[in-house]
Amino acid sequence: MDSLLPSNLYELSREEKNHLLQKLETQYKSIQEEKLHLDITRGKPSPEQLDLSLPMLSILDEKHYQSENHTDCRNYGVLDGLPEMKKLFGEILDIPHENIFVGGNSSLNLMYDVLVQAMLYGLPGGTKPWKDEKISFLCPVPGYDRHFAILEHLGIEMIPIRLNEDGPNMESVLSLVERNPSIKGIFCVPKYSNPTGITYSDEVVKAFCTMKPAAPDFRVFWDNAYAIHDIESPGERLLNVFAEAQQHHCTDRFYIFTSTSKISFAGGGVACIATGEKNLKALKKHYSIQTIGYDKLNQLRHVLFFKDRKTIENHMKKHAEILKPKKDIVVNTLQKYFSNLGVVQWTNPRGGYFVCLETLPGCASKVVTLAHEAGVKLTPAGSTHPYNKDPKDTTIRIAFSYPSTKDIQKAMEVVSLCIALASLQTMLGQK
Amino acid sequence: MDSLLPSNLYELSREEKNHLLQKLETQYKSIQEEKLHLDITRGKPSPEQLDLSLPMLSILDEKHYQSENHTDCRNYGVLDGLPEMKKLFGEILDIPHENIFVGGNSSLNLMYDVLVQAMLYGLPGGTKPWKDEKISFLCPVPGYDRHFAILEHLGIEMIPIRLNEDGPNMESVLSLVERNPSIKGIFCVPKYSNPTGITYSDEVVKAFCTMKPAAPDFRVFWDNAYAIHDIESPGERLLNVFAEAQQHHCTDRFYIFTSTSKISFAGGGVACIATGEKNLKALKKHYSIQTIGYDKLNQLRHVLFFKDRKTIENHMKKHAEILKPKKDIVVNTLQKYFSNLGVVQWTNPRGGYFVCLETLPGCASKVVTLAHEAGVKLTPAGSTHPYNKDPKDTTIRIAFSYPSTKDIQKAMEVVSLCIALASLQTMLGQK
């Protein structure tokens, strides 16, 4: 396809638009006949990316199973992580290793654990368990569906907050957090935000450290999932929220999460929490009841393979080399078909795993359905918003990492056609 | 030392006892001067046992990271475990693989998760979350301290039930469970029980399947941690509670837990839950919110290394060869010093990780303190009972697996001396 919609789209007569619609529908039907099976729903690394860490699989052997301080990593013990794994996460996040708790393979599970601890026992600074109060969380939107799913599951009310180019609308955040003690937290993906790809500005990061929350146990869930996940060079720089919080004596306001899921293996990585001393003490108390300890062998694999920040940065450059052509296909295809047309806007992030589309109001779910019926799976419309409710029905998340460049190209051709179709239908007042 | 207490102990005059006490105290002091550092507190595998699974560490490599059905185990996906890992656990437990949920490295964490799910959401069959009721659990004693710790942490009241040679006193269990709807569960270690080493009789297992609990959401937490952990040959046989429950249509009454922690690596194993369909469905719903999935690479390591029940059984024989001499030292030393004296009784289990001592009333904590002050760490007295309260202060758990045979021998000499001393002190009315 060379073009889908003409540059004088808005000047076309109703008849001309109908004619164009018929033409696009014919194209759509012929694509349906190709019986495609393409999937751009989830931010999964591709096999080529996973291959980058293959040597890690056999890095342990009959001689290598002890940590630096001679802990036998095969046995029980060491609840909060190997010292060298803490150090490695400390280097990734630029946070003192003393403030790090190393967990299992899933940072999402750590977030869930902390929220469960808050529900059942309360958090340091609070007066009672969250289960005994009616509480709510702020949710910058568009945001990450799995954060919303946890909050919804726990019965925590979600209040959407507009996510701008530089982070959440802090005017709204501050006016709510500083006045309403029932607001107990906010979920943030501060770098290469899922799905819009933006990075919080220094001002926004600082505002989180200087705010005066009405709730004494207010917490920021700082999901730094893409801390070192640049695609373009140079990547974006996120102000170090922990260092900033230290200056304002509020490190316990933050739970900072990250993992190696998109550095090493998505199912077999290591995750951590960085936080202040009071939180850490409470975390360790709860975790000492919940488990005997996490898999230290996998921690050892990671430290032996990744060694230090420099080695990881070089490793991440190889990820970027694989990801950049895919992201470029997404952006260039949209550019080719929709430049200056105004029917869709898209992001061009410098890192992370997603391109985010903004369609005409009421169009996003149409596009997703059309694409689905043409064999291209997209993340369900609405999933970027709490309770799956995108009020204007405009947001679509494109996950470009997993498919091959060829499949991404094909998928984007289909998605573009679907956008053109849905936009035209909407302009013609069709449901 | 050849002997500690004479066979005519009970016929000695007070003066003779005092004289003997002085002699033992002199021996004790000379042991204190040795400044020992021995530890028989925890049921940890020894390095030699962990060595048995060393080849597993390098069993995955650049060519081996896919499951049988070509799932890339390095990536996200497959919440409830690889099919072949379910099959392997199915063979270990003799339970259909369809009824198995595979988790992370810790079965304790799975028990905690299920209890948290019960607290926050309730369980299938129940009418409300457990957090909204005043509830209690039955705890066979002596039992496992970490079970008690979870219940205490969650604020679930613990009711001790006498653990007999053939399992919990079922008369008490039935009369409580069938009459009192606030009793929501019971924790069992049905084979080679921690710490007494007993295995539940067929009658006891059957009684759990035929009981009519007053609470519709009553659950049995069946911690089958030592399912295939024989030391003596033949080992003991535990009736298959799942098969029995199938006959009585009550598989959802049971959460059956096991793990490879004491088969492969104590910190780096794989754990699972086996249960009925309704529970499984609820489990998967909750876990799908809590995590994206567990470490499938480690599951793959286990299935490639252990293959099937037969291979695991042979592997467990090698564990037994390492464990038996250690258990024999514990039992033989006690036999040598205390046979027919009546001041202490001990178990001689055919499997598992513990020997359990029963001292004179009021003596257990004395023995632990004396041993500690002579450089031998024992599990704290009372930890085998809910709230750390052993009402008669008689139970001591000996964990023989970790130290070398030489260290076990030395530790048991010290412990024996401490038993003799404490018994004599008690007989003389000393605190």
Side-chain angles (χ1 to χ4, degrees):
Chain A
M1 299 183 289
D2 282 340
S3 80
L4 292 165
L5 300 172
S7 58
N8 65 343
L9 175 65
Y10 289 91
E11 292 148 29
L12 297 183
S13 68
R14 189 163 182 89
E15 199 183 340
E16 286 168 320
K17 280 182 190 147
N18 267 320
H19 183 75
L20 181 57
L21 184 61
Q22 282 172 25
K23 195 183 122 199
L24 294 178
E25 281 170 349
T26 310
Q27 279 183 270
Y28 180 75
K29 271 178 198 140
S30 84
I31 281 181
Q32 278 188 310
E33 281 160 20
E34 293 182 38
K35 303 216 180 294
L36 299 171
H37 286 285
L38 301 172
D39 190 330
I40 48 175
T41 54
R42 303 297 324 175
K44 291 168 66 169
S46 63
E48 296 70 32
Q49 289 175 268
L50 298 167
D51 285 349
L52 298 173
S53 300
L54 270 180
M56 192 199 290
L57 283 182
S58 44
I59 206 164
L60 298 187
D61 59 28
E62 319 217 337
K63 298 236 185 301
H64 298 91
Y65 51 78
Q66 291 197 348
S67 72
E68 278 169 16
N69 62 7
H70 306 295
T71 297
D72 188 335
C73 296
R74 305 171 303 177
N75 220 327
Y76 290 126
V78 193
L79 176 68
D80 55 347
L82 296 179
E84 53 264 56
M85 190 71 223
K86 290 188 191 178
K87 237 181 265 170
L88 190 64
F89 273 130
E91 287 186 34
I92 291 174
L93 295 169
D94 195 13
I95 289 177
H97 60 87
E98 297 89 347
N99 288 89
I100 288 171
F101 178 94
V102 182
N105 72 324
S106 165
S107 59
L108 196 77
N109 206 142
L110 294 176
M111 296 173 214
Y112 176 86
D113 285 341
V114 172
L115 281 167
V116 162
Q117 290 163 14
M119 292 299 282
L120 290 175
Y121 308 106
L123 295 180
T127 53
K128 49 183 163 180
W130 290 5
K131 71 176 166 54
D132 299 337
E133 299 179 68
K134 176 142 180 47
I135 63 163
S136 52
F137 257 57
L138 303 185
C139 294
V141 291
Y144 180 31
D145 55 352
R146 287 190 171 271
H147 291 162
F148 304 150
I150 291 179
L151 292 173
E152 187 173 359
H153 198 59
L154 290 170
I156 297 173
E157 196 201 341
M158 293 181 269
I159 302 171
I161 292 287
R162 178 78 205 160
L163 184 71
N164 298 322
E165 289 289 307
D166 62 345
N169 182 328
M170 289 309 283
E171 213 172 308
S172 309
V173 170
L174 293 177
S175 94
L176 286 162
V177 171
E178 299 194 337
R179 275 189 240 165
N180 185 344
S182 80
I183 296 175
K184 293 292 192 180
I186 181 169
F187 259 106
C188 300
V189 184
K191 192 166 177 189
Y192 303 136
S193 155
N194 177 352
T196 64
I198 63 104
T199 296
Y200 290 14
S201 70
D202 291 3
E203 289 64 39
V204 165
V205 174
K206 282 178 187 169
F208 275 109
C209 298
T210 51
M211 58 165 51
K212 307 276 172 233
D217 50 355
F218 176 84
R219 291 294 190 280
V220 180
F221 284 70
W222 198 256
D223 183 1
N224 204 353
Y226 308 104
I228 51 172
H229 300 61
D230 304 331
I231 295 179
E232 305 290 347
S233 176
E236 287 179 13
R237 195 188 132 276
L238 173 70
L239 190 66
N240 184 337
V241 73
F242 192 85
E244 206 62 33
Q246 280 180 313
Q247 283 182 30
H248 293 89
H249 309 289
C250 62
T251 52
D252 282 310
R253 184 177 302 156
F254 297 87
Y255 291 107
I256 300 164
F257 302 90
T258 199
S259 81
T260 70
S261 295
K262 292 177 185 94
I263 300 174
S264 60
F265 301 125
V270 183
C272 78
I273 311 175
T275 187
E277 278 75 20
K278 282 185 195 134
N279 287 343
L280 260 186
K281 200 178 151 192
L283 274 179
K284 286 184 202 169
K285 190 183 112 198
H286 294 302
Y287 276 116
S288 74
I289 303 290
Q290 171 172 350
T291 183
I292 302 180
Y294 293 99
D295 184 350
K296 295 181 298 300
L297 288 167
N298 209 31
Q299 295 176 25
L300 189 60
R301 278 182 201 102
H302 280 75
V303 293
L304 291 180
F305 185 64
F306 286 120
K307 296 182 183 80
D308 51 31
R309 166 102 193 186
K310 189 81 207 139
T311 311
I312 296 200
E313 277 174 358
N314 286 332
H315 183 85
M316 294 314 287
K317 281 183 192 147
K318 296 179 202 160
H319 277 284
E321 283 166 24
I322 298 169
L323 288 168
K324 182 166 161 49
K326 298 185 179 183
K327 189 201 68 167
D328 286 349
I329 289 170
V330 175
V331 171
N332 293 341
T333 309
L334 294 164
Q335 177 77 20
K336 175 176 138 192
Y337 291 121
F338 302 110
S339 180
N340 298 319
L341 269 177
V343 298
V344 62
Q345 292 179 294
W346 56 92
T347 58
N348 185 2
R350 300 187 69 81
Y353 269 65
F354 306 101
V355 168
C356 190
L357 310 189
E358 200 78 13
T359 67
L360 293 178
C363 259
S365 53
K366 265 188 209 170
V367 173
V368 172
T369 305
L370 284 167
H372 186 74
E373 289 170 1
V376 177
K377 270 196 203 157
L378 287 167
T379 315
S383 65
T384 51
H385 285 65
Y387 309 109
N388 290 301
K389 280 181 194 147
D390 177 2
K392 292 188 188 158
D393 189 19
T394 57
T395 312
I396 296 176
R397 187 182 83 164
I398 306 270
F400 53 78
S401 55
Y402 187 78
S404 66
T405 49
K406 192 167 148 260
D407 284 353
I408 286 276
Q409 182 67 61
K410 186 74 199 175
M412 284 313 297
E413 293 290 335
V414 177
V415 169
S416 297
L417 177 60
C418 296
I419 293 169
L421 258 174
S423 304
L424 210 52
Q425 286 172 350
T426 299
M427 289 165 81
L428 285 163
Q430 298 180 6
K431 283 272 166 186
Chain B
M1 300 184 292
D2 282 340
S3 79
L4 291 165
L5 299 172
S7 58
N8 64 342
L9 175 65
Y10 290 91
E11 292 148 29
L12 297 184
S13 68
R14 188 161 182 90
E15 199 183 341
E16 286 168 321
K17 281 182 190 146
N18 267 321
H19 183 72
L20 180 57
L21 184 60
Q22 280 170 24
K23 194 184 124 201
L24 294 177
E25 281 170 347
T26 309
Q27 278 182 271
Y28 180 74
K29 272 180 197 134
S30 85
I31 282 180
Q32 278 188 309
E33 281 159 20
E34 294 183 39
K35 304 214 177 298
L36 299 172
H37 285 286
L38 300 171
D39 189 330
I40 48 177
T41 54
R42 303 295 328 173
K44 291 167 68 167
S46 63
E48 296 71 31
Q49 289 176 268
L50 298 167
D51 285 349
L52 297 173
S53 300
L54 270 181
M56 192 198 292
L57 283 183
S58 43
I59 206 164
L60 299 187
D61 59 29
E62 320 217 337
K63 299 235 187 295
H64 299 89
Y65 52 77
Q66 292 197 348
S67 73
E68 277 169 17
N69 61 6
H70 305 295
T71 297
D72 187 336
C73 298
R74 305 169 304 176
N75 220 328
Y76 290 126
V78 194
L79 177 67
D80 55 345
L82 296 179
E84 53 264 56
M85 189 72 225
K86 290 188 191 177
K87 236 179 268 172
L88 190 63
F89 274 130
E91 287 187 34
I92 291 173
L93 293 170
D94 195 12
I95 290 177
H97 60 87
E98 297 89 347
N99 290 87
I100 287 172
F101 178 94
V102 182
N105 71 323
S106 164
S107 59
L108 195 77
N109 206 143
L110 294 175
M111 296 172 212
Y112 176 86
D113 284 341
V114 172
L115 281 167
V116 163
Q117 290 164 14
M119 292 297 282
L120 290 176
Y121 309 106
L123 294 180
T127 54
K128 50 185 164 180
W130 289 6
K131 70 177 168 53
D132 299 335
E133 299 179 69
K134 178 143 180 45
I135 64 164
S136 51
F137 258 57
L138 303 185
C139 294
V141 292
Y144 179 30
D145 54 353
R146 286 188 171 273
H147 291 162
F148 305 151
I150 291 180
L151 292 172
E152 186 172 0
H153 198 60
L154 290 170
I156 297 172
E157 196 202 340
M158 293 180 270
I159 302 171
I161 292 287
R162 178 76 206 162
L163 184 72
N164 298 324
E165 289 289 308
D166 62 346
N169 182 326
M170 289 310 283
E171 212 173 309
S172 308
V173 169
L174 293 177
S175 94
L176 285 162
V177 170
E178 300 194 335
R179 273 189 242 168
N180 185 344
S182 79
I183 295 174
K184 294 292 191 180
I186 182 169
F187 260 105
C188 299
V189 183
K191 190 164 177 188
Y192 304 136
S193 155
N194 176 355
T196 64
I198 64 104
T199 297
Y200 290 16
S201 70
D202 292 2
E203 288 63 38
V204 165
V205 174
K206 283 177 186 167
F208 276 108
C209 299
T210 52
M211 58 164 55
K212 307 275 171 235
D217 49 354
F218 176 84
R219 291 295 188 280
V220 181
F221 284 68
W222 198 257
D223 184 1
N224 204 352
Y226 308 104
I228 51 173
H229 300 60
D230 303 331
I231 295 178
E232 305 289 346
S233 178
E236 286 178 15
R237 193 186 133 282
L238 173 69
L239 191 65
N240 184 340
V241 74
F242 193 85
E244 207 61 35
Q246 279 179 314
Q247 285 182 30
H248 293 89
H249 310 289
C250 62
T251 52
D252 282 309
R253 184 178 300 157
F254 297 87
Y255 291 107
I256 299 164
F257 302 90
T258 198
S259 80
T260 69
S261 295
K262 291 177 184 93
I263 299 174
S264 60
F265 301 125
V270 183
C272 79
I273 310 175
T275 187
E277 279 75 17
K278 283 187 193 132
N279 287 343
L280 259 187
K281 200 177 150 194
L283 273 180
K284 285 184 202 170
K285 190 182 112 198
H286 294 302
Y287 275 117
S288 75
I289 303 289
Q290 171 173 348
T291 183
I292 301 181
Y294 292 100
D295 184 350
K296 296 181 298 297
L297 288 167
N298 207 33
Q299 294 175 27
L300 189 60
R301 279 183 199 101
H302 279 75
V303 292
L304 292 180
F305 186 65
F306 286 118
K307 296 181 186 77
D308 52 30
R309 168 103 193 183
K310 188 84 209 139
T311 311
I312 297 200
E313 276 175 358
N314 286 333
H315 182 85
M316 294 314 288
K317 280 182 192 147
K318 297 179 200 160
H319 277 286
E321 282 166 23
I322 298 169
L323 287 169
K324 181 165 161 53
K326 297 183 179 184
K327 189 201 70 167
D328 286 348
I329 288 169
V330 175
V331 171
N332 293 341
T333 309
L334 292 164
Q335 177 77 19
K336 174 176 139 194
Y337 291 122
F338 302 110
S339 182
N340 298 321
L341 269 177
V343 296
V344 63
Q345 292 180 294
W346 56 92
T347 59
N348 185 4
R350 300 187 70 80
Y353 269 65
F354 306 101
V355 168
C356 190
L357 310 188
E358 200 78 15
T359 68
L360 294 179
C363 257
S365 52
K366 264 188 210 170
V367 172
V368 172
T369 305
L370 284 167
H372 186 74
E373 288 169 3
V376 177
K377 270 194 204 159
L378 287 167
T379 314
S383 64
T384 52
H385 286 63
Y387 311 108
N388 289 299
K389 280 180 196 149
D390 177 1
K392 292 189 188 157
D393 187 20
T394 56
T395 312
I396 296 175
R397 186 181 83 163
I398 306 270
F400 53 79
S401 55
Y402 188 78
S404 66
T405 48
K406 193 168 147 261
D407 284 353
I408 287 276
Q409 184 65 64
K410 185 73 199 178
M412 285 311 298
E413 293 291 335
V414 177
V415 169
S416 298
L417 176 60
C418 296
I419 294 169
L421 257 175
S423 305
L424 210 51
Q425 285 172 351
T426 299
M427 291 166 80
L428 285 162
Q430 297 180 6
K431 283 273 166 185

